[in-house]
Amino acid sequence: MWRRELYLPLSLLMVFLAMLPFFIRFERRRLRAEELLLIAMLGAIAAVSRIPFAPLPSVQPVSFVVIMAALVFGAETGFLVGAIAAIVSNLFLGQGPWTPWQMFSWGMIGFTAGLLRNTRFMGSLWGKNLFGLVWGFLFGWIMNLWGLLGFVETLNWQVVFASYAASFAFDLTHGLSNVFFLTLFSGIWLKILGRVKLKYGLLEH
């Protein structure tokens, strides 16, 4: 019973502490107004892209937009775009104890994509697709944790296995939708965002 009462504050605290280093690191950078506007715009685009696909479980174009932002503008920008997308889209789809977990999950998609952006792996389409497929599952596995911690009174390996097995189809759908969007649209998005970065010199440092 005590775990259920403490679940929300402990959940918020844990996710906040996990995200704090990223926000501190980004805060220390000297950003122009145009750069802040760009981050906010990308976050809004990612959030809006989620709404039309809400009736389709686990089809998440948000992940695609976050990956594109990270590949062009870096890990910190990718993290912030993912976190912004989660909280803004939930203004329309519903806020709840899952919101900070979504902020962290989408933020980590952006952060890891940014860390890998200059590698041969992410420079290829198959690498991007594999990254998107894997994160479709990782996103779901992280989100399963808040459900297990918040709603399951007796945790054991059988319950954990059942929860992750039940989410397999949804996680696979998320991963395959990432592959779909990356295959069709990553080329044009990288060109457009790359031109914006080059023309205006945004987020170069």
Side-chain angles (χ1 to χ4, degrees):
M1 196 68 180
W2 63 270
R3 186 160 56 84
R4 182 170 295 179
E5 294 175 354
L6 294 177
Y7 161 68
L8 182 57
L10 288 177
S11 173
L12 292 172
L13 178 62
M14 184 193 74
V15 177
F16 173 76
L17 291 176
M19 293 190 295
L20 186 61
F22 301 104
F23 287 106
I24 292 176
R25 181 175 173 178
F26 200 87
E27 180 68 22
R28 291 177 177 175
R29 299 173 61 178
R30 295 182 178 179
L31 297 179
R32 293 149 44 192
E34 297 92 334
E35 293 173 329
L36 293 173
L37 180 61
L38 175 65
I39 294 170
M41 182 184 70
L42 289 171
I45 291 173
V48 170
S49 72
R50 183 184 174 199
I51 296 173
F53 289 89
L56 302 175
S58 297
V59 177
Q60 302 287 6
V62 177
S63 301
F64 164 75
V65 178
V66 171
I67 292 171
M68 292 298 97
L71 290 180
V72 176
F73 299 109
E76 292 91 347
T77 298
F79 185 90
L80 284 179
V81 170
I84 291 169
I87 195 169
V88 171
S89 61
N90 282 352
L91 293 175
F92 301 93
L93 300 176
Q95 301 284 2
W98 54 85
T99 298
W101 291 81
Q102 289 177 330
M103 292 174 64
F104 175 74
S105 299
W106 268 313
M108 288 306 298
I109 290 178
F111 188 75
T112 52
L115 290 180
L116 297 172
R117 65 176 177 151
N118 293 323
T119 64
R120 181 179 299 179
F121 174 78
M122 290 298 277
S124 63
L125 180 59
W126 72 266
K128 296 185 188 72
N129 285 343
L130 181 58
F131 179 89
L133 180 64
V134 169
W135 259 109
F137 285 93
L138 293 179
F139 183 97
W141 294 347
I142 294 171
M143 294 305 300
N144 284 344
L145 288 177
W146 81 264
L148 289 170
L149 294 174
F151 301 103
V152 178
E153 293 188 6
T154 304
L155 279 177
N156 54 56
W157 287 112
Q158 289 78 11
V159 172
V160 172
F161 178 80
S163 173
Y164 281 78
S167 73
F168 177 83
F170 298 98
D171 301 336
L172 179 62
T173 300
H174 186 178
L176 292 178
S177 70
N178 289 344
V179 171
F180 174 80
F181 291 119
L182 286 165
T183 299
L184 291 184
F185 305 115
S186 62
I188 187 65
W189 270 70
L190 290 174
K191 287 181 181 179
I192 292 173
L193 294 180
R195 288 173 183 171
V196 171
K197 179 179 180 179
L198 182 62
K199 181 175 181 179
Y200 298 102
L202 301 176
L203 298 166
E204 291 285 357
H205 47 285

